Structures are given as C-alpha cells and as structure tokens.
Amino acid sequence: MDPAPMKRQRGASLAGCLLGLGLGLLVLQALLDVVASAHHALQAQRLALRRQESEALAQQLLRAVAEASRRGQGTQADPAAGAAALAARPGPGGEVLEANFVADSAPGACGEAVQPEGSAHRYRLDIDAAGTLRCRLDAHAPQPLADGLGVWELEFVELRGGPCAAETPGCTPRLRRVRAPQVQDWNHVVLMRARLRGPAPRSRAGAPQSWVALPLVQRLAS
C-alpha cells in the first residue's frame, strides 16, 4: 500500500515576513511622529504661557517701581542727599532702572519684607544677558524673578527748562521724549514709557509689545 501523500506545508515566506515587518515599522514611525509632534506643541504652549507670565510680571514690577519712586517729597525720595527719584543707565538687557523711595505701608516691589515706614531705600531693576529679570533692594543680592525675557526698552518724558508755575506769564514747559542717555535732569522726568521685546530664534529680539506709560510724579513743583 502506497504511503499517503504528504501534505504541502503552508507558511509565510521570507519576502512576506519582511514586507509585514516594514509595514509595521512604518505604522510605528507614524505613531511616534504624532506623539512627538503633540509633545513639541505642548512644550511650545507651555513656553509661550511662561513667557507671557514673565512679561506680565515684568510690567507689574515696572509699575511698582514707578509707584515707589513717587513716594517721598516732591520728585526726590531723599532730598537731603539730592538723589533723583528715578534714574536709568544702559545695561546688558536694556536699561538698568534705579529708584529711590521712602517706605510706607505699600507692598515691596522685590518681594521683600515690609520696611520701617519713613526709611529710605533703593531699588535696582534689570534684565541680564540671559533674559532673567532681577530686582535688588539696597545692597542685598539681586533676586531673579522671571526668565525667558528678551530685552526691554525704556523711554522718558523730560520737562526741559525746568518746571514753572501755571500763573507765570509766557511760561510754556517743554516736554521731550528721550532715552536714558539723553536725560539732562532726572528730577524733571515726569513719565516713563516701557515695552518688552521677547526672544526670537532668528533675531536678537522679537516683536515688541505696545508701550506702557508709567507716571513718575504726582505734581510738578512750582
């Protein structure tokens, strides 16, 4: 009796295995690309939100320092020393802003503890070369408050020729908008305008925000 014919074994060929493996790898790569894209989008959103928060904090801090410079008598926080309430000079991330003020019950701009009322102090505000906003009170170490910033720009409105009484005939105050190096007398600066330039990957500074006007004096001396 002849032996039963052996059945032909069926299975995947080497070419079929390689084709299936290649298709699987393509599907896996597509999934990884989707996950990576979603991750990058989330990171970008987080960075944008963090930058917006830092920019908002910088504007709030500028307002607080401008308000602090209004304290004291007239436009001078320390009349005996003859120091201007506010002054600025060039720095690595724009101007370095300095303000003299007399402490009162208002909260501090640098997050410091409440100072004795009537005591004279000095703020120093700047953005370093790495884009970190720093605030310093008196001789203490500067405190980093926000990062991821670009540079800021400050302009000042100065009363040229000195203030004069409103009833003086022919007296017309001359207001000039200048940058910090062009200010002739910081005690005659009545307004500060500030804006931030955020960092951009292909330029030194990104598109600037709109200007924010910050009054510096409550009234002009006659």
Side-chain angles (χ1 to χ4, degrees):
M1 183 174 180
D2 295 336
M6 298 182 61
K7 295 183 179 180
R8 180 179 296 179
Q9 294 183 354
R10 295 183 179 181
S13 64
L14 178 61
C17 290
L18 292 177
L19 179 60
L21 181 61
L23 291 175
L25 290 176
L26 289 177
V27 172
L28 180 61
Q29 182 63 45
L31 291 175
L32 292 177
D33 290 342
V34 171
V35 173
S37 178
H39 177 72
H40 290 325
L42 180 61
Q43 287 294 102
Q45 291 178 356
R46 288 178 177 175
L47 290 175
L49 180 60
R50 183 176 179 181
R51 185 171 300 135
Q52 290 175 359
E53 293 174 347
S54 297
E55 291 171 350
L57 176 60
Q59 297 292 6
Q60 292 174 5
L61 193 55
L62 283 173
R63 288 188 176 92
V65 170
E67 180 62 30
S69 70
R70 299 171 59 180
R71 305 173 196 168
Q73 302 179 11
T75 58
Q76 294 183 356
D78 189 359
L86 194 82
R89 55 185 174 81
E95 287 83 359
V96 175
L97 190 65
E98 296 177 339
N100 296 305
F101 69 100
V102 175
D104 57 12
S105 57
C110 290
E112 72 276 4
V114 177
Q115 302 297 318
E117 188 171 354
S119 58
H121 300 279
R122 184 179 185 87
Y123 282 138
R124 184 183 186 275
L125 213 63
D126 72 336
I127 297 179
D128 64 14
T132 301
L133 173 65
R134 304 182 302 177
C135 185
R136 186 178 74 182
L137 175 69
D138 298 331
H140 298 289
Q143 299 297 317
L145 300 179
D147 56 10
L149 298 171
V151 298
W152 64 17
E153 298 176 351
L154 303 177
E155 287 186 353
F156 304 91
V157 176
E158 182 184 10
L159 183 63
R160 291 290 174 90
C164 59
E167 63 272 11
T168 304
C171 178
T172 304
R174 293 181 299 121
L175 297 175
R176 294 191 60 184
R177 192 175 66 190
V178 294
R179 300 299 294 269
Q182 286 77 46
V183 173
Q184 295 181 358
D185 188 344
W186 284 101
N187 286 316
H188 291 164
V189 173
V190 297
L191 184 75
M192 177 175 67
R193 299 173 73 240
R195 68 177 177 180
L196 281 164
R197 285 183 175 271
R202 295 185 180 180
S203 62
R204 292 186 58 189
Q209 294 183 348
S210 58
W211 288 98
V212 176
L214 305 168
L216 299 179
V217 297
Q218 294 175 326
R219 65 179 180 83
L220 294 178
S222 0

